[in-house]
mmCIF file of all heavy atoms in Angstrom:
data_model
loop_
_atom_site.group_PDB
_atom_site.id
_atom_site.type_symbol
_atom_site.label_atom_id
_atom_site.label_comp_id
_atom_site.label_asym_id
_atom_site.label_seq_id
_atom_site.Cartn_x
_atom_site.Cartn_y
_atom_site.Cartn_z
ATOM 1 N N GLU A 674 136.425 24.787 -112.024
ATOM 2 C CA GLU A 674 135.900 24.030 -113.158
ATOM 3 C C GLU A 674 136.980 23.770 -114.180
ATOM 4 O O GLU A 674 137.109 22.658 -114.711
ATOM 5 C CB GLU A 674 134.729 24.799 -113.811
ATOM 6 C CG GLU A 674 134.166 24.096 -115.019
ATOM 7 C CD GLU A 674 133.124 24.961 -115.764
ATOM 8 O OE1 GLU A 674 133.034 26.173 -115.515
ATOM 9 O OE2 GLU A 674 132.387 24.394 -116.598
ATOM 10 N N LEU A 675 137.777 24.798 -114.503
ATOM 11 C CA LEU A 675 138.847 24.633 -115.493
ATOM 12 C C LEU A 675 139.847 23.572 -115.035
ATOM 13 O O LEU A 675 140.245 22.698 -115.788
ATOM 14 C CB LEU A 675 139.553 25.950 -115.745
ATOM 15 C CG LEU A 675 140.719 25.865 -116.728
ATOM 16 C CD1 LEU A 675 140.217 25.850 -118.163
ATOM 17 C CD2 LEU A 675 141.736 26.973 -116.532
ATOM 18 N N LEU A 676 140.241 23.652 -113.767
ATOM 19 C CA LEU A 676 141.229 22.692 -113.239
ATOM 20 C C LEU A 676 140.686 21.255 -113.323
ATOM 21 O O LEU A 676 141.417 20.332 -113.649
ATOM 22 C CB LEU A 676 141.612 23.042 -111.834
ATOM 23 C CG LEU A 676 142.536 24.259 -111.663
ATOM 24 C CD1 LEU A 676 142.695 24.626 -110.196
ATOM 25 C CD2 LEU A 676 143.891 24.008 -112.278
ATOM 26 N N ARG A 677 139.412 21.102 -113.020
ATOM 27 C CA ARG A 677 138.842 19.736 -113.051
ATOM 28 C C ARG A 677 138.787 19.223 -114.485
ATOM 29 O O ARG A 677 139.130 18.041 -114.774
ATOM 30 C CB ARG A 677 137.449 19.758 -112.435
ATOM 31 C CG ARG A 677 137.489 20.047 -110.923
ATOM 32 C CD ARG A 677 136.106 19.904 -110.271
ATOM 33 N NE ARG A 677 135.686 18.506 -110.272
ATOM 34 C CZ ARG A 677 134.625 18.066 -109.612
ATOM 35 N NH1 ARG A 677 133.882 18.940 -108.870
ATOM 36 N NH2 ARG A 677 134.284 16.801 -109.622
ATOM 37 N N ARG A 678 138.359 20.073 -115.428
ATOM 38 C CA ARG A 678 138.282 19.622 -116.821
ATOM 39 C C ARG A 678 139.654 19.373 -117.413
ATOM 40 O O ARG A 678 139.811 18.432 -118.215
ATOM 41 C CB ARG A 678 137.476 20.652 -117.627
ATOM 42 C CG ARG A 678 136.006 20.776 -117.288
ATOM 43 C CD ARG A 678 135.285 19.466 -117.339
ATOM 44 N NE ARG A 678 133.829 19.603 -117.311
ATOM 45 C CZ ARG A 678 132.965 18.608 -117.243
ATOM 46 N NH1 ARG A 678 133.411 17.364 -117.122
ATOM 47 N NH2 ARG A 678 131.665 18.829 -117.231
ATOM 48 N N TRP A 679 140.635 20.147 -117.016
ATOM 49 C CA TRP A 679 141.972 19.947 -117.571
ATOM 50 C C TRP A 679 142.590 18.609 -117.041
ATOM 51 O O TRP A 679 143.288 17.937 -117.778
ATOM 52 C CB TRP A 679 142.886 21.112 -117.272
ATOM 53 C CG TRP A 679 143.848 21.416 -118.402
ATOM 54 C CD1 TRP A 679 144.655 20.553 -119.051
ATOM 55 C CD2 TRP A 679 144.007 22.689 -119.015
ATOM 56 N NE1 TRP A 679 145.370 21.214 -120.035
ATOM 57 C CE2 TRP A 679 144.997 22.524 -120.038
ATOM 58 C CE3 TRP A 679 143.479 23.947 -118.834
ATOM 59 C CZ2 TRP A 679 145.434 23.580 -120.862
ATOM 60 C CZ3 TRP A 679 143.920 25.006 -119.635
ATOM 61 C CH2 TRP A 679 144.883 24.813 -120.645
ATOM 62 N N ALA A 680 142.292 18.278 -115.799
ATOM 63 C CA ALA A 680 142.782 17.003 -115.291
ATOM 64 C C ALA A 680 142.158 15.827 -116.071
ATOM 65 O O ALA A 680 142.820 14.831 -116.363
ATOM 66 C CB ALA A 680 142.467 16.882 -113.806
ATOM 67 N N GLU A 681 140.860 15.963 -116.400
ATOM 68 C CA GLU A 681 140.206 14.912 -117.202
ATOM 69 C C GLU A 681 140.875 14.769 -118.554
ATOM 70 O O GLU A 681 141.075 13.629 -119.036
ATOM 71 C CB GLU A 681 138.742 15.277 -117.373
ATOM 72 C CG GLU A 681 137.932 15.256 -116.096
ATOM 73 C CD GLU A 681 136.526 15.832 -116.271
ATOM 74 O OE1 GLU A 681 136.176 16.264 -117.437
ATOM 75 O OE2 GLU A 681 135.765 15.895 -115.275
ATOM 76 N N LEU A 682 141.224 15.873 -119.177
ATOM 77 C CA LEU A 682 141.885 15.841 -120.490
ATOM 78 C C LEU A 682 143.291 15.294 -120.383
ATOM 79 O O LEU A 682 143.724 14.441 -121.181
ATOM 80 C CB LEU A 682 141.891 17.250 -121.091
ATOM 81 C CG LEU A 682 142.428 17.483 -122.506
ATOM 82 C CD1 LEU A 682 141.835 18.735 -123.082
ATOM 83 C CD2 LEU A 682 143.962 17.593 -122.528
ATOM 84 N N ALA A 683 144.038 15.760 -119.383
ATOM 85 C CA ALA A 683 145.455 15.402 -119.273
ATOM 86 C C ALA A 683 145.661 13.918 -119.022
ATOM 87 O O ALA A 683 146.712 13.379 -119.356
ATOM 88 C CB ALA A 683 146.096 16.222 -118.171
ATOM 89 N N ALA A 684 144.685 13.275 -118.414
ATOM 90 C CA ALA A 684 144.857 11.830 -118.145
ATOM 91 C C ALA A 684 144.939 11.039 -119.426
ATOM 92 O O ALA A 684 145.493 9.922 -119.431
ATOM 93 C CB ALA A 684 143.652 11.337 -117.296
ATOM 94 N N PHE A 685 144.401 11.576 -120.522
ATOM 95 C CA PHE A 685 144.389 10.874 -121.798
ATOM 96 C C PHE A 685 145.422 11.508 -122.746
ATOM 97 O O PHE A 685 145.143 11.724 -123.925
ATOM 98 C CB PHE A 685 143.000 10.886 -122.372
ATOM 99 C CG PHE A 685 142.017 10.132 -121.536
ATOM 100 C CD1 PHE A 685 141.224 10.780 -120.606
ATOM 101 C CD2 PHE A 685 141.888 8.755 -121.658
ATOM 102 C CE1 PHE A 685 140.329 10.062 -119.796
ATOM 103 C CE2 PHE A 685 141.015 8.029 -120.861
ATOM 104 C CZ PHE A 685 140.240 8.687 -119.938
ATOM 105 N N ALA A 686 146.574 11.803 -122.224
ATOM 106 C CA ALA A 686 147.723 12.254 -122.988
ATOM 107 C C ALA A 686 148.918 11.435 -122.506
ATOM 108 O O ALA A 686 148.897 10.909 -121.394
ATOM 109 C CB ALA A 686 147.989 13.747 -122.797
#
Side-chain angles (χ1 to χ4, degrees):
E674 179 186 16
L675 179 80
L676 286 172
R677 294 185 68 170
R678 292 307 193 186
W679 217 308
E681 294 171 359
L682 183 157
F685 296 95

